[in-house]
Amino acid sequence: MQTTSAVQEQPPLATSTSHPKGLYVLFATEMWERFSYYGMRALLSLYMLKALLMNKEMSSLIYGNYTSLVYLTPLLGGYMADRYWGNRRSILVGGLLMAAGQFALFFSASMYQAGQTAVPSAQLLLFFLGLGCLIFGNGFFKPNISSMVGSLYPKGDSRIDAAYTIFYMGINLGAFFSPLVCGTLGDTGNPADFKWGFLAAGIGMLVGSLTFEMLKHKYVVTAEGAPLGAKPERTVDASPVVPVQTDGPVRSETIAQPAKSFASKLPMLIGLFAVVYAAIAWLMNKDWIGALVFSAMIVAPVTILTDPTLTSREKQKIYVIFILSFFVIFFWGTFEQAGASLTFFADEQTDRNLGSYVVPASYFQSANALFIIVFAPIFAVMWTWMGKRGTEPSSPLKMAISLMLMAVGYLIIAFGVKGVDANTKVSMFWLITMYMVHTFAELCLSPIGLALVNKLAPARFASLLMAVWFLATAAGNKLAGVLSGLYPPGPGEFAKASKEGIDLPGILNGTSQATADVSAKLTQLELAAHWPSFLGFQITSLYDFFMIFVGMSAVASVILFVIYKKLNTMMAEPVTAA
């Protein structure tokens, strides 16, 4: 922990019109982490399709499992930080693990041989090892750096909303440049080059970890100048320290107050998790990863709400977090198509020609980040302007608007592909316009949600409740992978079948019959002989596929519009007599 003399040497406190320098240290660290994550994500689906020789359904399944687990492990990271390690150590461990994961992907991609028809087991082993390191590394990194942003400010500081928007804008610099850098190096049309994109992502993660380690002692401090994120102190009974002011948004690691251990209820929680997990795995046809994510969504809230130190007022605020988390699932289930089905769409059915230059499909994943950089300041000014006039929408209302904007974005691209056959490529205008509208949706939800959790969470559960918020993102990402697997067969599948003399479009449309030999060959090629379906709705075109997201987002938005006033009441502080 920092000495007293060292604390006194800290920079002066931020004024009401400025932000502490620690904010910029945190978003610089997160910027490089996002460079690493989005650079790798821009290549992930393409690497599985073109180098690991997987089909779209399997690629979508792995993509959804990976991105969901990336947001599930913050439960572990948040708990370890709050109880044992503190934010600082957790961020360092997480950063190093993620760098190791990117380098494992680099070595996996380095094993690719041109023209290979089978994937070496070592290549697959390194691939899954890399994903595992990234999953656990992100778990230690993500909730801790996000929860530290609000802790830079005094309780009730009006700058917190703007701080999270600035933080969100800053980290998107990394998300913007990473697909361009990693895509230029890895998405060249030659699967052997994927390794260079993964290498760049690994180097970026090391830079982010080094940035935090070098600057944290000087700048990552509270408004009073005390160090943030140090290892929690313990009382003589070895109970971790929690803050006295349990309703405050700012965490404190320096006030000794024993916290009740979870040990007494641990057997009950383990038993509950086992029962819920088995039931969900059975309902999901032994989808073990999906069962893990959705079981955690049930057990984690129970773990928090059964804490005997919670007051009724604290519980009411936590209920708001949980309700909004449910709606967040539908947002991310539609938004996260960017790394899966929308990448397939960009690769196969988007006209990417700019004169003689063909834009890599991975570049389109920079569109969202670019629009955030452009529009985040505008949204921040807009919220401030409306707030001064008392017309700013509440956080739940902003989220309802966000979901409706998601529906509008998919309606735009659905209109662009309506009546277009699978062999026709459409203008990139439709994809870019959709990403712009989805960016508006994201700016109404994601930074607003982070600030909301920081405001409503009891301080002793700050990191853990931030992890629960990311858990909703995990469920949304899992849903995104499941829905991406419904992407209808297109030019790639038709060409693959045609090489074997199989009329796949005719079989799908019922104009040709698949013999036993043809069916066996399709199975061998990992091609389906029927159109995918969703809730009894057959998906025979991209228009059908995109309309699923229109309907899902619109329904969720309408429900949230109906209940947002009740949520406002639950969030509001009671009026005290003068």
Side-chain angles (χ1 to χ4, degrees):
M1 181 172 290
Q2 199 85 353
T3 63
T4 304
S5 60
V7 170
Q8 291 174 344
E9 296 173 1
Q10 304 302 332
L13 300 179
T15 68
S16 60
T17 58
S18 65
H19 292 277
K21 292 181 179 179
L23 172 64
Y24 303 104
V25 173
L26 293 179
F27 92 59
T29 304
E30 180 76 341
M31 178 188 72
W32 281 110
E33 187 274 333
R34 292 291 86 182
F35 175 94
S36 173
Y37 176 81
Y38 283 104
M40 173 269 191
R41 193 191 76 160
L43 302 175
L44 180 59
S45 293
L46 297 173
Y47 177 64
M48 287 189 285
L49 283 174
K50 300 181 179 182
L52 298 182
L53 309 180
M54 298 178 184
N55 61 22
K56 289 174 183 172
E57 184 177 4
M58 179 58 68
S59 298
S60 297
L61 175 65
I62 293 175
Y63 174 85
N65 287 343
Y66 163 68
T67 54
S68 65
L69 290 175
V70 155
Y71 289 100
L72 176 62
T73 50
L75 282 170
L76 173 62
Y79 180 83
M80 290 295 292
D82 280 346
R83 300 285 166 170
Y84 303 107
W85 286 0
N87 298 122
R88 296 185 176 200
R89 181 183 294 183
S90 297
I91 289 170
L92 176 62
V93 171
L96 294 178
L97 270 175
M98 284 189 283
Q102 299 287 12
F103 292 130
L105 293 178
F106 164 73
F107 289 119
S108 171
S110 298
M111 299 184 68
Y112 173 82
Q113 298 294 324
Q116 68 181 26
T117 57
V119 181
S121 57
Q123 184 180 358
L124 279 174
L125 178 63
L126 284 169
F127 172 70
F128 287 113
L129 175 64
L131 294 186
C133 289
L134 289 167
I135 287 166
F136 282 99
N138 189 84
F140 290 116
F141 187 98
K142 190 72 174 174
N144 293 294
I145 198 155
S146 297
S147 65
M148 290 179 79
V149 172
S151 302
L152 295 167
Y153 298 84
K155 179 180 178 180
D157 196 309
S158 62
R159 295 172 295 167
I160 291 180
D161 273 9
Y164 272 106
T165 301
I166 293 171
F167 178 72
Y168 209 69
M169 178 182 66
I171 65 178
N172 275 279
L173 287 171
F176 168 68
F177 285 113
S178 56
L180 302 181
V181 174
C182 297
T184 297
L185 295 172
D187 185 16
T188 64
N190 179 6
D193 289 335
F194 281 118
K195 61 180 180 288
W196 304 119
F198 294 138
L199 178 63
I203 293 172
M205 191 64 247
L206 287 180
V207 171
S209 298
L210 183 62
T211 298
F212 182 76
E213 283 300 301
M214 291 179 63
L215 300 176
K216 65 183 182 182
H217 295 297
K218 186 175 182 180
Y219 296 115
V220 185
V221 296
T222 67
E224 293 76 25
L228 273 177
K231 181 179 179 181
E233 296 178 4
R234 292 174 179 274
T235 58
V236 293
D237 66 349
S239 298
V241 174
V242 295
V244 169
Q245 294 183 348
T246 58
D247 231 3
V250 181
R251 297 185 63 227
S252 168
E253 287 85 11
T254 59
I255 303 175
Q257 177 186 345
K260 185 175 178 63
S261 172
F262 280 96
S264 60
K265 58 182 178 181
L266 189 59
M268 181 270 291
L269 292 173
I270 293 175
L272 174 63
F273 184 86
V275 171
V276 173
Y277 181 78
I280 294 179
W282 178 75
L283 290 172
M284 297 184 66
N285 195 26
K286 299 182 180 179
D287 183 346
W288 308 115
I289 301 297
L292 179 65
V293 172
F294 294 117
S295 298
M297 281 198 62
I298 295 173
V299 177
V302 172
T303 302
I304 295 171
L305 291 173
T306 55
D307 189 292
T309 66
L310 285 174
T311 65
S312 59
R313 181 73 187 121
E314 288 174 331
K315 286 184 177 181
Q316 194 172 36
K317 291 182 176 182
I318 291 173
Y319 284 137
V320 174
I321 295 174
F322 291 157
I323 292 170
L324 292 177
S325 295
F326 174 76
F327 287 94
V328 165
I329 294 173
F330 298 100
F331 174 85
W332 292 114
T334 53
F335 185 88
E336 279 297 327
Q337 297 301 311
S341 66
L342 292 175
T343 296
F344 304 152
F345 179 75
D347 186 48
E348 292 185 348
Q349 292 194 246
T350 299
D351 182 2
R352 296 182 279 115
N353 294 300
L354 286 178
S356 60
Y357 178 68
V358 179
V359 179
S362 55
Y363 275 22
F364 288 91
Q365 293 194 45
S366 286
N368 170 246
L370 175 61
F371 288 133
I372 285 180
I373 294 168
V374 172
F375 290 106
I378 297 174
F379 272 73
V381 170
M382 180 179 69
W383 298 142
T384 302
W385 182 84
M386 295 178 71
K388 290 179 180 179
R389 288 157 180 77
T391 58
E392 181 181 5
S394 65
S395 295
L397 180 55
K398 288 176 182 176
M399 293 182 187
I401 295 170
S402 171
L403 285 163
M404 188 56 70
L405 286 171
M406 289 300 298
V408 171
Y410 277 109
L411 190 61
I412 289 171
I413 199 168
F415 180 80
V417 299
K418 187 175 183 180
V420 175
D421 64 62
N423 293 312
T424 301
K425 294 188 176 184
V426 300
S427 169
M428 65 178 74
F429 164 83
W430 301 106
L431 190 56
I432 293 174
T433 303
M434 184 211 68
Y435 275 132
M436 183 179 69
V437 176
H438 284 183
T439 298
F440 297 160
E442 186 179 8
L443 287 171
C444 288
L445 182 139
S446 196
I448 304 304
L450 293 174
L452 181 71
V453 174
N454 185 270
K455 287 178 181 178
L456 298 181
R460 63 193 182 283
F461 289 110
S463 291
L464 193 56
L465 278 167
M466 189 67 75
V468 171
W469 182 259
F470 288 126
L471 177 58
T473 308
N477 276 266
K478 175 59 184 176
L479 178 62
V482 172
L483 296 175
S484 177
L486 301 175
Y487 194 88
E493 288 76 18
F494 297 160
K496 191 174 182 180
S498 181
K499 287 181 180 179
E500 302 295 330
I502 300 174
D503 178 20
L504 183 56
I507 293 172
L508 292 170
N509 293 321
T511 58
S512 299
Q513 293 296 321
T515 65
D517 290 341
V518 168
S519 296
K521 190 62 178 179
L522 288 174
T523 300
Q524 183 182 349
L525 295 172
E526 297 183 334
L527 298 174
H530 52 80
W531 294 110
S533 62
F534 178 72
L535 299 178
F537 174 67
Q538 195 173 55
I539 304 168
T540 62
S541 66
L542 285 172
Y543 174 81
D544 295 339
F545 178 72
F546 290 132
M547 286 303 294
I548 291 174
F549 302 105
V550 173
M552 182 181 299
S553 300
V555 170
S557 175
V558 169
I559 294 173
L560 192 49
F561 268 118
V562 170
I563 68 171
Y564 86 90
K565 290 184 179 179
K566 174 63 176 177
L567 297 178
N568 289 345
T569 302
M570 295 171 66
M571 292 165 52
E573 294 293 344
V575 178
T576 57

